[in-house]
Amino acid sequence: MYHFKDGQWSQYGTNAGLKNLFVWSVAEDANGRLWAGTWGAGLFGKKDELFALAPGMEQITVPMTALLSVLGGGLWIGTENGLLRYDGTNGAWFGRKPDSVRTDVRAIVKDSRGVVWFGMLGGGLACLSNDTVRCLGKAEGLSSDFVQCLHLDTEGALWIGTFGGGLDRLKNGAISAITMRHGLPNNIIGCIVDDGNGSYWMSSHAGIICVRKQDLDLCADGKTNQVHCACYGKSDGLTTLECSTGFQPAGCTTPDGRLWFPTGKGLVAVNPKDLQINRRPPPVVIEEVRVDGHAVADRPAAEEPLRIGPGQHRIEIDYTALSFVAPEKVRFRYRLEGLVGEWTDAGAKRSASFDYVPPGQYEFHVVACNDVGVWNEEGASVAFVLLPYFWQTLWFATSLSALALGLVGAGVWLGTRRRMRRKMEALERQKAVEHERSRIARDIHDELGSHLTRITMLSEPARHEADTSNSGSNDVRQIYDIARGLTRTMDEIVWAVTPHHDTPEGLANYLEQFALEFLGAAGVRCRLDLPMQLPTWPLTAETRHNLFLALKEALHNVVKHAGATEVRIVLTLDGRALTLSVEDNGRGFDPASARAAGDGLDNMRRRLEQIGGDCEIGSATGQGVKIIFVVPMREAPKGAPLDYRAN
């Protein structure tokens, strides 16, 4: 141990009672007694000019890297095995953990509430309150679990220097981190000393750092993301940039106002009162602009934008700041407006490069600060224009877009025109088919119908006048019946092929007429339940014809087999299907035996299947028969009612 006073050094070694010359921590208690913690020989106390082992601590020889003297007497001792409390006669351990947990205590402070905080090299931060230890680590927000120093400010906030994680602040239960990303020159903080003038001095592996506490608080509160630091290095008198860290104390303030920091190559003293702070911001100059490795401008004028030809995209800009106090400490920030809107912290680097800059207008702006963090916010700037190829211009893109839209429009128009042409051709073919159907219907009605009618009229008098005993009368009757049957068949065919009957209304009218005539001739009462208004939906001739033949088969079965006195026919349209039901009050039948007896029921089902419909037959012996024909409607016109039911 060394003592410096009045310019003279005094040494204390084995001749002064120290059994180990590796002294890692020192502290002076309230009684003025000096204590020294060694690396492997225990704790020594100084009395007069000699050191002796602390009473009651003779058996504790673990390395002691931190000492803290507290009011009321006693010492807090940081060791590699945990925290030790020494009251003058014996020691008590706190925070000792299994070997798998790092408890190497390197820093200790005690706050105004009596809570003891201690930092561990690998174990994070811990607090001792009411003999209970609580630990905080990276999981709780610490930037690093390697804590090297602690400092309590007047507001009760705890500042934490870490190895590799920068500076942390614990305030009101919240932890904030300040690192190199925020402006610190180094993330290794070994000691924090308050100079009493609103600034903190911190030792690091990049020299000694001075920063205003107000700036640190603003950054920790999230109100700014940058702190302005003054960093002192070899140009300021340091023999090495690496300060000694990892023990307490690692720096102190003497009554004369000087700050003391140990380094690997000696002890450094700083007197803040003697420092001459450079308040002049450094002038910033843009030296050269290079495009694809070739210089295009030397000291470019800010008021005249540079014009760069097309096809050149790599931009490099050299800049500097004119400071002769400590040029190596000048720091820069730059941004390229038009490409990146945010500032880039370049540190001490004096060039900026952009690998790919697309065609457009840009302005490069760079600012710098001197060795104590005074910024030249105006900085220097240069504007330039990267000219595009003609196919990269706005007018070309607009023309190309217009051409593409025109081609798309032309394609749509041609496609629509082609579809309309096909539709018109289909309508013309349909019209031709309907015209041919009408011609055939007229020819059948006019030619064949007239001849059948004439045969019927000529045979009818002969049928009435013929003698019943005469064998020729039977032939006349057969001729008359055949002619009448052919006339009805012809009438059905003409109705089926006539185009203007291709609607539900045409179907309903014909079914009504046929049912009344057919059932009336058989003496069966007919009840019709038809809609009063029917839509003009398209209905094919095939659908009408098969539905009519199925109804005809059903009515024929009623007259021939049912023995019914009444038949009820119901027609409904619900927007999705046409439903025709035939119900009688006859004797009914067993569906199982009916399938084996004849083909009538199967014929009705087949006819409905041909037009995509369905036939449902329900009956029981003595309960009549109900047959339902369902034909799906392929397309209902927009705006048409969805439900057409009888009123």
Side-chain angles (χ1 to χ4, degrees), residues 36-96:
T38 65
W39 189 266
L43 179 67
F44 291 83
K46 181 176 176 293
K47 187 176 182 181
D48 296 330
E49 292 299 315
L50 296 177
F51 283 89
L53 281 171
M57 297 283 287
E58 295 82 357
Q59 303 302 318
I60 301 178
T61 58
V62 294
M64 299 178 181
T65 52
L67 289 178
L68 175 67
S69 175
V70 296
L71 294 176
L75 291 173
W76 288 98
I77 307 170
T79 75
E80 68 176 11
N81 288 341
L83 184 65
L84 182 63
R85 170 67 187 269
Y86 177 63
D87 60 3
T89 57
N90 53 53
W93 289 100
F94 297 93
R96 299 187 70 175

Side-chain angles (χ1 to χ4, degrees), residues 40 52 135 472 495 561 585:
C135 294
W495 171 78
H561 304 291
N585 61 353

Side-chain angles (χ1 to χ4, degrees), residues 516-526 559 564-566:
L516 290 174
E517 292 181 358
F518 184 80
L519 295 176
V524 178
R525 185 168 62 254
C526 178
V559 173
T565 60
E566 181 179 294

Side-chain angles (χ1 to χ4, degrees), residues 331-606:
R331 296 173 58 201
F332 299 89
R333 291 203 306 261
Y334 65 81
R335 67 180 177 185
L336 183 59
E337 296 180 3
L339 183 66
V340 180
E342 297 181 354
W343 289 96
T344 299
D345 191 350
K349 187 178 179 182
R350 296 172 186 255
S351 66
S353 62
F354 305 92
D355 292 334
Y356 180 82
V357 180
Q361 297 183 359
Y362 303 94
E363 184 174 2
F364 178 80
H365 195 192
V366 57
V367 297
C369 71
N370 62 12
D371 57 318
V372 295
V374 178
W375 285 89
N376 180 349
E377 298 293 349
E378 182 179 357
S381 63
V382 58
F384 58 90
V385 179
L386 262 69
L387 300 176
Y389 288 109
F390 75 90
W391 60 79
Q392 295 175 314
T393 58
L394 179 61
W395 68 264
F396 183 82
T398 304
S399 302
L400 192 62
S401 299
L403 179 61
L405 289 175
L407 292 176
V408 171
V412 172
W413 181 79
L414 290 175
T416 304
R417 190 169 181 270
R418 189 179 298 108
R419 289 194 297 271
M420 289 299 296
R421 186 187 301 114
R422 288 198 296 265
K423 188 174 181 180
M424 292 298 297
E425 291 174 354
L427 290 175
E428 290 177 359
R429 287 195 299 270
Q430 182 179 356
K431 185 176 180 180
V433 170
E434 292 180 353
H435 183 269
E436 186 65 17
R437 287 171 57 192
S438 298
R439 186 190 64 77
I440 293 173
R442 286 194 305 269
D443 292 346
I444 293 175
H445 182 271
D446 294 341
E447 297 295 332
L448 185 58
S450 62
H451 291 302
L452 290 176
T453 302
R454 185 177 181 186
I455 293 173
T456 302
M457 293 175 62
L458 291 175
S459 62
E460 185 173 4
R463 181 174 64 89
H464 288 293
E465 295 175 1
D467 189 351
T468 56
S469 61
N470 189 354
S471 60
S473 62
N474 293 330
D475 296 335
V476 173
R477 292 190 185 92
Q478 289 181 5
I479 292 172
Y480 178 79
D481 293 339
I482 291 173
R484 287 293 301 272
L486 288 175
T487 302
R488 285 194 297 269
T489 302
M490 180 204 64
D491 185 60
E492 295 174 6
I493 294 173
V494 170
W495 171 78
V497 299
T498 303
H500 70 265
H501 292 310
D502 291 343
T503 62
E505 184 177 4
L507 173 66
N509 292 336
Y510 194 79
L511 294 183
E512 177 184 6
Q513 179 183 357
F514 174 79
L516 290 174
E517 292 181 358
F518 184 80
L519 295 176
V524 178
R525 185 168 62 254
C526 178
R527 294 182 57 191
L528 293 170
D529 193 352
L530 306 177
M532 296 183 64
Q533 294 181 351
L534 290 169
T536 58
W537 296 351
L539 201 63
T540 64
E542 182 184 10
T543 299
R544 291 189 295 112
H545 189 55
N546 281 282
L547 192 58
F548 167 73
L549 293 179
L551 175 67
K552 183 177 180 181
E553 182 72 27
L555 297 181
H556 177 76
N557 290 337
V558 170
V559 173
K560 185 176 180 181
H561 304 291
T565 60
E566 181 179 294
V567 176
R568 185 169 183 264
I569 301 174
V570 180
L571 176 67
T572 60
L573 290 90
D574 62 359
R576 290 172 296 275
L578 182 150
T579 303
L580 180 65
S581 65
V582 181
E583 184 177 2
D584 65 64
N585 61 353
R587 65 176 62 93
F589 63 89
D590 182 5
S593 61
R595 291 191 185 95
D599 297 330
L601 301 181
D602 292 336
N603 289 337
M604 288 188 289
R605 291 191 178 95
R606 282 194 296 270

Side-chain angles (χ1 to χ4, degrees), residues 235-246:
S235 62
D236 302 294
L238 290 179
T239 56
T240 178
L241 295 179
E242 186 173 336
C243 297
S244 300
T245 62

Side-chain angles (χ1 to χ4, degrees), residues 106-164:
R106 295 302 178 102
I108 314 167
V109 293
K110 185 177 182 181
D111 63 19
S112 59
R113 299 174 299 167
V115 177
V116 176
W117 297 86
F118 56 98
M120 296 167 283
L121 204 63
L125 177 69
C127 66
L128 173 63
S129 178
N130 298 325
D131 295 338
T132 301
V133 176
R134 181 170 64 93
C135 294
L136 303 174
K138 294 185 69 174
E140 288 73 29
L142 276 182
S143 59
S144 173
D145 286 331
F146 292 83
V147 176
Q148 297 197 114
C149 62
L150 299 173
H151 175 76
L152 278 168
D153 64 17
T154 56
E155 299 173 355
L158 179 63
W159 295 90
I160 308 160
T162 70
F163 188 93

